[in-house]
Amino acid sequence: AVLKTFHEALAAGCLAEDTPEARTALMDSATSEATRSMGLPDAAFLPFFAAWPQVRDGYLAWLATHESGGARFGWAERWQELPLGDITLVGQIDRLDQLADGSTLVMDYKTENLATTQRRVKTPTEDTQLAFYAALQPDDTLQAAYVNVGEKGGTTTVAQPDVVEVRDALISGILHDMQRIAGGASL
């Protein structure tokens, strides 16, 4: 919610001057807004608050590098659907950006240990989350990545380079399994 609020405000041109200090203030404002809109008492954010400056600054440093390569925020936290015959895939994607080459980048935020996020993409067909989100996009040239937002090591992009192939395999597998279930195969 914090990142969604921050990016939507940034995209809406809420900063009079786009400086690192202004972005830091906007991110802190987004934190307050998200806490308030969720009806959380201040104490609920307290455990996270101690690490917040490092998390925020690491994310903002990552964002500056991400944007310097031409990436632009598209949208955040949006529900998507893909009808597949008799079934519909439904999911909420954390974030979607447009890259400098015009392609789409589907992203999912992770706050886990970086090594855990890196293991997710080592065997592409074992991690279906990015492939599922990619399936919800009508694009055969898209890219996908986890954005690991860490308390100690900053923010890191962990790309899934084979996402289109994995997405196609996932869709094929879902259709195959649903056809078998419809045909009476036991679960």
Side-chain angles (χ1 to χ4, degrees):
V2 169
L3 295 177
K4 178 182 188 305
T5 301
F6 167 77
H7 281 289
E8 288 176 348
L10 192 60
C14 289
L15 297 180
E17 189 176 340
D18 193 349
T19 65
E21 297 78 18
R23 283 184 173 213
T24 298
L26 182 61
M27 181 74 87
D28 288 342
S29 175
T31 302
S32 297
E33 173 59 31
T35 302
R36 188 174 41 259
S37 70
M38 295 169 99
L40 298 174
D42 290 339
F45 192 68
L46 195 57
F48 187 66
F49 190 72
W52 176 241
Q54 285 182 303
V55 172
R56 177 200 61 215
D57 294 348
Y59 183 82
L60 290 172
W62 169 85
L63 180 61
T65 301
H66 180 67
E67 290 176 337
S68 73
R72 294 293 168 252
F73 175 75
W75 48 258
E77 300 292 334
R78 186 178 291 175
W79 285 97
Q80 300 281 282
E81 294 185 2
L82 175 72
L84 289 174
D86 294 339
I87 63 170
T88 300
L89 303 183
V90 179
Q92 184 176 8
I93 299 172
D94 283 357
R95 179 171 167 185
L96 186 136
D97 279 8
Q98 296 303 310
L99 300 178
D101 65 2
S103 65
T104 298
L105 174 62
V106 174
M107 292 179 278
D108 185 73
Y109 296 117
K110 294 293 181 201
T111 57
E112 64 200 7
N113 180 286
L114 178 58
T116 301
T117 305
Q118 290 168 331
R119 278 193 299 273
R120 289 177 181 277
V121 300
K122 282 195 188 246
T123 308
T125 56
E126 291 298 314
D127 178 44
T128 58
Q129 186 175 10
L130 287 176
F132 189 89
Y133 292 162
L136 299 173
Q137 299 305 304
D139 192 340
D140 282 338
T141 60
L142 61 85
Q143 298 177 42
Y146 291 111
V147 176
N148 184 277
V149 182
E151 289 182 15
K152 296 179 184 163
T155 296
T156 306
T157 302
V158 180
Q160 172 49 272
D162 302 317
V163 72
V164 173
E165 294 82 9
V166 176
R167 174 205 62 194
D168 293 347
L170 178 66
I171 290 172
S172 177
I174 290 171
L175 291 173
H176 177 261
D177 289 350
M178 295 306 292
Q179 183 180 39
R180 289 187 63 231
I181 291 168
S186 64
L187 299 177

